[in-house]
Amino acid sequence: MAFLPGPVTAAAVESGRYPNLVARLDPVVGPAEVNAKIADYWHSLFEGDEDSRVFYAAAPTADGPSAYILDVGNADVRSEGMSYGMMIAVQTDHKAAFDALWNWAATHMRYRDGPRAGYFRWQCKPTGCDADTVPASDGEAYIATALLMAAERWGSGTALYDYAAQADSVLDVMLHKQEMNGGIVAGVTDMFDARTDQVVFVPVGDSATFTDPSYHLPAFYDYWARHATGWRGRRTQDRRRWRRIATTSRKYLARVVDRQTGLGPDYATFDARPVAIGGHDDFRYDAFRTAANWSVDQAWWGKNPSAATLSDRVQRFFEARGSRYPSLYRVDGTVLDPAPSSALIASNAVASLAGGQPFRPAFVSTLWALDPPRGRWRYYDGLLQFMAVLHVSGRFRAYERPVARRGARAPNLAPG
């Protein structure tokens, strides 16, 4: 592909023009080619054979068809994967698949009573949840955002499929769980630490005393600030809090990565020091996503002046290591695993969305040349690749209805 220079559009949510980095590589790759690439990923991961698919139909419930996303390598279902599947379905306009995934998650993963009511178990068996696993904050974040986007793209239905009401219930629990419970009961906390305005790793016990940098999703928080209705009439207060959390996360992401390599740890304290639990003070699989988070945020909202520098730093680090660079490192750049990872390739391509840094076409073209993965470890690689393809082609969008809730004109949703 030939490189075409040109700026990355900032504040895509307001302008409706989402950066199309693929078009910057080669103008011959137009909408038809992008559609074909997206269709190929959908067919492989959602409709393919037993060596490629991660989407599986399950027994219907009283609310209709249900389905789950399988982490094939570990033979389980995770709130992370369910939320990614829901997000991909709404972004690609597959409503039936979205509803089936949401039905399974709400039926099997959501706690119905007790101090954790309203949260989602992070891990289940394909037959359902027979163990009391804790919530993980990234699952709730993507579930809530996917539900809000479904409401904006398709309109809400009723009961379980009243997407806007369901999203608000998830956001309310995330922000107000302790107040709902009358304090910290059985170790259960809010999903956002009240003192620091940061997302916690797990809202239970000691795991609520630190964070996971890849769970920081400022692009989503500002989206929630435009759409959340607020708990018990607190629309203004809750929206103000979400905006404050977004601002905090932008500053945090700049602090938590190494100043030379751009690499950050899987787990870190609220003041951005690595947390050494099971090797997660290193740059491992969770941390792959961190650069994508600040870059999507900058493309959507244009509020983070440090994003371009951060992406430039991390891409320079990987550019110096060749096209098949290792996947796991200490944050100082020491290699821990020489094997490459397509999930990391995908995230590093999304890092190009942070406008202003030197555009390195190799990161996007390497992603674009990948096929949907097959085999045992296709779950994480495949879902991150699919979302990355949507991001770099301008097809991952913060959907809003034609008559926006703020009375503003609707964005045109055209790729930039």
Side-chain angles (χ1 to χ4, degrees):
M1 290 183 176
F3 168 55
L4 296 177
V8 172
T9 305
V13 178
E14 297 294 356
S15 69
R17 299 192 63 82
Y18 287 76
N20 183 348
L21 303 183
V22 179
R24 296 184 68 197
L25 293 173
D26 192 336
V28 174
V29 181
E33 288 75 19
V34 171
N35 290 342
K37 175 72 77 172
I38 292 170
D40 186 35
Y41 269 90
W42 181 269
H43 174 73
S44 182
L45 292 170
F46 287 77
E47 301 170 342
D49 61 29
E50 286 302 310
D51 197 45
S52 66
R53 71 188 297 124
V54 298
F55 176 91
Y56 292 86
T61 73
D63 292 302
S66 73
Y68 57 85
I69 299 290
L70 181 67
D71 180 342
V72 181
N74 292 295
D76 60 20
V77 181
R78 304 182 174 206
S79 60
E80 164 200 78
M82 294 297 288
S83 68
Y84 286 175
M86 289 171 61
M87 182 61 77
I88 288 169
V90 72
Q91 293 294 333
T92 57
D93 200 21
H94 287 91
K95 186 175 184 298
F98 180 95
D99 286 349
L101 290 170
W102 168 234
N103 184 14
W104 201 97
T107 299
H108 295 291
M109 307 188 97
R110 185 160 54 178
Y111 290 94
R112 298 183 180 277
D113 49 38
R116 300 180 187 180
Y119 281 147
F120 292 76
R121 295 168 177 84
W122 82 269
Q123 182 185 42
C124 294
K125 293 181 178 179
T127 52
C129 283
D130 59 357
D132 189 19
T133 57
V134 296
S137 301
D138 58 337
E140 267 80 351
Y142 266 83
I143 286 171
T145 309
L147 286 165
L148 281 177
M149 290 183 176
E152 295 297 310
R153 182 165 197 179
W154 298 319
S156 288
T158 59
L160 184 65
Y161 305 107
D162 184 343
Y163 305 128
Q166 294 288 344
D168 280 323
S169 71
V170 178
L171 293 175
D172 291 347
V173 169
M174 294 169 76
L175 205 59
H176 299 291
K177 172 48 74 177
Q178 289 174 215
E179 187 175 353
M180 292 174 178
N181 285 347
I184 298 177
V185 178
V188 179
T189 71
D190 297 337
M191 204 162 266
F192 288 84
D193 179 70
R195 182 179 60 86
T196 64
D197 277 332
Q198 292 183 42
V199 63
V200 304
F201 175 55
V202 168
V204 179
D206 290 343
S207 293
T209 63
F210 62 93
T211 187
D212 181 322
S214 77
Y215 289 6
H216 285 248
L217 294 158
F220 288 1
Y221 308 151
D222 264 355
Y223 185 72
W224 301 348
R226 290 159 75 101
H227 297 286
T229 60
W231 188 53
R232 293 185 173 178
R234 301 178 190 176
R235 171 173 161 164
T236 299
Q237 298 96 313
D238 282 6
R239 290 188 175 191
R240 183 182 300 122
R241 178 92 187 278
W242 290 129
R243 286 192 292 271
R244 189 165 71 243
I245 288 170
T247 298
T248 298
S249 279
R250 290 178 183 120
K251 295 177 181 178
Y252 182 83
L253 291 171
R255 295 170 56 207
V256 77
V257 297
D258 186 86
R259 292 182 177 274
Q260 298 299 317
T261 65
L263 303 178
D266 273 3
Y267 305 162
T269 62
F270 294 132
D271 58 358
R273 291 177 290 111
V275 171
I277 297 176
H280 291 289
D281 51 334
D282 299 320
F283 178 87
R284 295 180 181 270
Y285 298 101
D286 272 18
F288 290 0
R289 305 172 295 192
T290 307
N293 291 354
W294 72 58
S295 303
V296 171
D297 172 58
Q298 179 62 7
W300 282 16
W301 304 105
K303 295 180 179 180
N304 187 356
S306 68
T309 299
L310 296 175
S311 283
D312 179 45
R313 184 183 302 161
V314 76
Q315 286 189 335
R316 273 192 285 109
F317 173 81
F318 285 107
E319 186 178 51
R321 278 145 187 83
S323 60
R324 290 183 57 80
Y325 43 79
S327 57
L328 305 185
Y329 302 83
R330 300 196 189 283
V331 295
D332 66 3
T334 303
V335 174
L336 297 174
D337 186 344
S341 167
S342 63
L344 180 57
I345 289 170
S347 297
N348 285 342
V350 178
S352 297
L353 288 171
Q357 83 280 12
F359 180 61
R360 294 176 170 85
F363 287 98
V364 178
S365 61
T366 300
L367 166 66
W368 201 252
L370 291 176
D371 292 322
R374 303 178 67 88
R376 183 179 177 186
W377 301 113
R378 63 187 181 271
Y379 157 79
Y380 193 61
D381 290 349
L383 294 176
L384 287 191
Q385 282 179 228
F386 199 165
M387 288 194 292
V389 164
L390 294 170
H391 278 303
V392 302
S393 61
R395 299 296 184 87
F396 195 122
R397 301 161 179 175
Y399 281 94
E400 295 186 326
R401 286 177 291 180
V403 180
R405 296 181 186 184
R406 301 163 311 288
R409 70 172 181 84
N412 60 20
L413 298 179

